[in-house]
Amino acid sequence: MSNTIKRFLCADAALILLGAIFRICHWPGGGITLFVGACFGIILLLCAAFCSRPIKALKVLFCLEGVLFIIGYFFKLFHWPGGTFIFLVTCILGIVLLLYSAIFHKFDK
């Protein structure tokens, strides 16, 4: 992952947290800030998954897990239909990926 994408991901995380604070405090602009941050985060995660060479399957799966997590969180936060199901499936998939990574993946550099 390039340094530029990492910097944008950090800025996007700050934007999402700012939107969460606005949403929790019921200040205007919280929903749109979360929406923009979530959309930008999805784009950045997809770029991170497919821009590096060689493309590694585990990295792509973790980035797609991040995209699904953002979508599930967003659906749950705004009380849209299917939010609970998406979030549940995403959490289970995340647990499976993390356990697989912890058991079978070699963390050598």
Side-chain angles (χ1 to χ4, degrees):
M1 189 177 334
S2 72
N3 285 336
T4 306
I5 292 177
K6 288 179 185 177
R7 288 181 181 163
F8 278 131
L9 279 170
C10 288
D12 183 59
L15 182 67
I16 289 173
L17 290 174
L18 180 69
I21 290 171
F22 272 59
R23 179 108 170 135
I24 289 168
C25 294
H26 301 286
W27 295 340
I32 191 69
T33 306
L34 277 171
F35 180 77
V36 170
C39 291
F40 193 54
I42 289 170
I43 292 168
L44 287 173
L45 283 172
L46 290 175
C47 287
F50 297 110
C51 287
S52 63
R53 298 285 182 239
I55 295 176
K56 297 179 181 173
L58 191 61
K59 183 177 181 181
V60 171
L61 285 174
F62 269 108
C63 288
L64 291 177
E65 164 67 21
V67 168
L68 286 174
F69 187 84
I70 290 172
I71 291 170
Y73 168 74
F74 202 74
F75 269 60
K76 192 82 172 130
L77 183 71
F78 288 103
H79 306 288
W80 291 346
T84 302
F85 178 74
I86 295 170
F87 205 65
L88 180 66
V89 169
T90 302
C91 288
I92 292 170
L93 179 63
I95 291 169
V96 170
L97 281 173
L98 287 170
L99 288 176
Y100 173 81
S101 181
I103 295 169
F104 298 111
H105 186 69
K106 297 182 190 256
F107 293 100
D108 300 339
K109 284 192 173 187

